Amino acid sequence: MNLHAFPLLARAEQSFHAGRHDEAARLAMAHQRQNPGEPRGLSLLGLLATETGALYQGEIFLRRSLGAAPNRDTALNLARNLNQQSRLAEALALFEPLRSDSDPQTEVVVSLILDKLGRHEESRTILERMAKRYPDRPNIWLAYGHNLRFDGQTDKAIEAYRRAIALQADLGEAWWGIASIKRKVFDANDIAAMKEAIAVAVDAANLAPLHFALGRALQAEQRYEEAFAHFAEANAIWARELHYDSGQLSREVEESERLFTAEALNASQGAGDPSSAPIFIVSLPRSGSTLLEQMLGSHPDIEPLGELPHIPALLRTMMEGATRAGIRSVPEAIARLSPQDRTGMGQEYLRRVQAHRKTERPYFVDKMPHNWSNALLLRQILPNAHVVDIRRDAMTCCWSNFSHSFSRAHASSFTLEGIGRAYVDYVRLMAHLDRALPGWVKHVAYDELIERPEPVLRALFEGLGIRFDEAVLRFHEAKRTVRTPSAEQVRRPLNREGVGTWKPYEAWLGPLKAALGELAV
């Protein structure tokens, strides 16, 4: 294309590549007004919308561009957009004809989608092929290490992570990949190497996990004051980047209490998909949800699917449309869903889940922890689904969050006050649901589960209306890939290793105790 014929588009693309996205969007829209339907401008608008989080709008622009003029780059951007929307099967179908061994980045993305869909061996085959063809690419060894670790091949995973580190010494995610394996794997040389990497790293995406990994290494040496300093710095790095407002969640919980009274919930019955197949395990992260899922997934009638991204993705799409309609809060958007919207969203969730399923078992588990904050959406779109809240004691849970390297999606964990307030909000919303919908949420206490698993599980299965099976007590014998930080724990018999882990750090946890109030016991 001769961009001299489209000066506005040329300027828009220059602005985009310079990182001036607002300016690029204005110029691209002006270009479209002068040249309606011009595909390159539509493609740029789609890319801009996608990068600013307006995924559905981005999808529309990208599809219009492809309809006007097929183009590989636009098709790749559409596939990436669908992947960000967690429409995994659709994204994979778009990626398939675009794949090439000469495009290793796309191959890695395809392998990650396959991993999310539970097709772990296919994913590993791609990564092994890419590692042989591109042995100098640290991101390939990193992805390969994750795949091996989730499959239980920890020694090979550590080897892959170390290959990645050998290629990029400050690759924080690889250091954290090793650190998060539940055994002492670092020596004095590793500690020195991490300190050297911290001294030269500039990118927060490397620097923060490096501090987390070094904190974990020092913790294993019982050097708690030094360890705390690195955990605190790791979280501070993300906190400075994200400017998280811990009050927003509190305001949403308060609004949910006001909008979704028992009377309002009873009046809204009769919509949503009627399926009783989903079992949602909800909690704050680091509360034992992976352990409970492993137990439930050992039952012959229940298929464990891990942390599915689809409820948060559906919520994000809902809010994109709601914001354009002038609705500003999540609870208000949920309250305004029509019966048709609710049924359609429930059906869409089940359609997306089908791509993950490998059995015909009547029930499946979705253990995305943060669905606790989406519980009212679950009720509206899947009113017969089962919801199980697993709760760990406040101090242990919050400390475990603060000392763990999370993605930006877990922003509440980046300050002691933030994670404490999130725990209070979580308890508050669960208590409201118990008042408004008595018996709908089933509760499991983590400490009781590891101390008395059989009576706790028998009571849970009775509440779910599913027959008890002794296999759930032999959960550690199950052979499956576990894509969570607790992958190693659930392959061992029950133990108390995670109990009271906050106590060596008590001297520095004043802000957490203050935020938790009476829950800090």
Side-chain angles (χ1 to χ4, degrees):
M1 173 188 292
N2 181 8
L3 283 180
H4 294 298
F6 298 119
L8 285 175
L9 180 57
R11 290 169 55 197
E13 292 188 346
Q14 289 172 356
S15 297
F16 173 74
H17 291 304
R20 300 191 301 272
H21 288 180
D22 288 344
E23 178 181 300
R26 289 194 299 272
L27 290 167
M29 288 299 294
H31 164 75
Q32 279 298 305
R33 284 192 291 271
Q34 291 183 7
N35 305 277
E38 193 280 311
R40 187 157 174 170
L42 288 170
S43 183
L44 178 58
L45 285 169
L47 187 56
L48 283 161
T50 299
E51 293 206 357
T52 57
L55 299 178
Y56 182 65
Q57 187 64 51
E59 177 190 350
I60 291 174
F61 282 129
L62 291 167
R63 288 193 184 278
R64 286 178 59 194
S65 176
L66 281 175
N71 177 279
R72 184 177 189 274
D73 287 341
T74 301
L76 279 171
N77 286 331
L78 177 58
R80 295 182 185 113
N81 174 291
L82 295 174
N83 184 30
Q84 289 184 58
Q85 292 189 60
S86 296
R87 290 160 59 182
L88 303 176
E90 294 173 74
L92 186 61
L94 260 178
F95 272 124
E96 282 294 346
L98 304 171
R99 292 175 58 188
S100 167
D101 279 2
S102 62
D103 181 3
Q105 190 56 47
T106 294
E107 287 298 281
V108 170
V109 172
V110 169
S111 76
L112 295 176
I113 293 174
L114 290 168
D115 238 350
K116 291 177 184 177
L117 290 171
R119 295 161 61 177
H120 308 292
E121 292 183 4
E122 293 176 66
S123 172
R124 194 174 312 126
T125 297
I126 292 173
L127 293 171
E128 287 172 348
R129 188 176 74 251
M130 289 295 101
K132 289 178 181 177
R133 180 158 184 162
Y134 301 96
D136 59 343
R137 300 287 183 100
N139 66 311
I140 294 174
W141 289 107
L142 177 66
Y144 187 37
H146 291 337
N147 180 289
L148 290 165
R149 186 200 156 190
F150 296 143
D151 194 50
Q153 301 183 54
T154 53
D155 289 335
K156 289 184 177 180
I158 291 170
E159 182 182 343
Y161 289 138
R162 289 197 180 277
R163 289 287 296 269
I165 291 165
L167 293 164
Q168 183 182 334
D170 69 342
L171 187 57
E173 193 176 344
W175 282 109
W176 174 251
I178 299 172
S180 60
I181 292 173
K182 303 297 191 295
R183 54 180 174 171
K184 185 175 178 180
V185 291
F186 291 132
D187 58 20
N189 291 330
D190 289 321
I191 291 174
M194 280 187 272
K195 288 181 177 179
E196 290 177 8
I198 285 171
V200 300
V202 293
D203 185 354
N206 287 322
L207 197 53
L210 266 167
H211 278 289
F212 278 116
L214 183 52
R216 185 66 64 86
L218 294 166
Q219 177 176 274
E221 300 284 341
Q222 298 184 356
R223 295 159 61 180
Y224 296 117
E225 186 171 2
E226 294 174 76
F228 181 82
H230 286 284
F231 290 138
E233 179 57 25
N235 283 293
I237 289 167
W238 284 132
R240 288 191 294 267
E241 288 255 327
L242 299 182
H243 307 291
Y244 173 69
D245 175 12
S246 60
Q248 181 178 344
L249 183 58
S250 300
R251 292 188 291 272
E252 288 186 1
V253 170
E254 181 178 355
E255 188 176 8
S256 295
E257 290 176 313
R258 179 173 56 82
L259 290 176
F260 294 96
T261 62
E263 293 75 17
L265 287 166
N266 287 329
S268 68
Q269 289 181 354
D273 189 281
S275 173
S276 61
I279 301 174
F280 293 98
I281 298 178
V282 303
S283 64
L284 255 64
R286 316 299 297 148
S287 293
S289 60
T290 302
L291 173 63
L292 182 57
E293 186 207 25
Q294 184 82 345
M295 290 172 161
L296 296 183
S298 299
H299 192 287
D301 289 339
I302 302 175
E303 183 175 5
L305 299 181
E307 298 182 1
L308 301 182
H310 303 304
I311 291 297
L314 288 168
L315 178 66
R316 187 170 57 237
T317 301
M318 178 190 78
M319 286 308 299
E320 189 178 331
T323 300
R324 288 198 296 271
I327 300 171
R328 297 302 176 190
S329 76
V330 171
E332 182 186 2
I334 296 172
R336 291 197 182 192
L337 288 173
S338 69
Q340 294 79 11
D341 290 335
R342 290 165 56 190
T343 300
M345 288 180 72
Q347 291 173 344
E348 176 63 13
Y349 169 79
L350 294 170
R351 186 187 70 79
R352 295 189 189 188
V353 168
Q354 198 57 40
H356 300 260
R357 301 212 59 181
K358 299 180 179 61
T359 75
E360 297 296 325
R361 296 181 186 184
Y363 304 99
F364 66 86
V365 177
D366 178 346
K367 65 159 293 283
M368 177 62 76
H370 280 298
N371 278 336
W372 74 263
S373 62
N374 302 326
L376 286 161
L377 178 62
L378 300 181
R379 178 68 183 187
Q380 297 298 80
I381 70 173
L382 293 159
N384 296 321
H386 307 276
V387 177
V388 182
D389 159 37
I390 181 165
R391 191 170 307 179
R392 200 174 183 185
D393 75 274
M395 290 296 291
T396 303
C397 176
C398 292
W399 170 251
S400 186
N401 275 264
F402 187 76
S403 59
H404 192 90
S405 181
F406 282 119
S407 71
R408 296 168 183 240
H410 300 293
S412 63
S413 70
F414 297 145
T415 66
L416 290 170
E417 179 188 10
I419 189 58
R421 289 189 63 171
Y423 191 99
V424 171
D425 290 331
Y426 150 66
V427 170
R428 181 179 174 183
L429 183 60
M430 292 297 105
H432 172 69
L433 292 172
D434 287 342
R435 291 190 298 270
L437 296 165
W440 181 58
V441 178
K442 312 300 185 295
H443 299 282
V444 173
Y446 174 80
D447 285 342
E448 292 183 15
L449 179 65
I450 63 174
E451 292 288 352
R452 304 183 303 111
E454 183 167 352
V456 169
L457 288 170
R458 283 188 180 275
L460 175 59
F461 276 99
E462 182 178 356
L464 294 172
I466 303 172
R467 64 179 178 82
F468 181 78
D469 192 286
E470 296 283 344
V472 301
L473 301 174
R474 302 188 299 276
F475 65 93
H476 54 282
E477 299 174 1
K479 305 297 183 185
R480 57 178 287 254
T481 298
V482 181
R483 298 185 71 254
T484 78
S486 301
E488 286 74 39
Q489 176 194 358
V490 299
R491 296 188 176 97
R492 293 177 286 153
L494 290 175
N495 61 77
R496 295 181 57 81
E497 287 181 9
V499 177
T501 51
W502 61 274
K503 291 183 179 178
Y505 299 93
E506 186 170 10
W508 305 287
L509 300 184
L512 174 58
K513 289 185 176 182
L516 288 171
E518 63 183 20
L519 294 175
V521 295

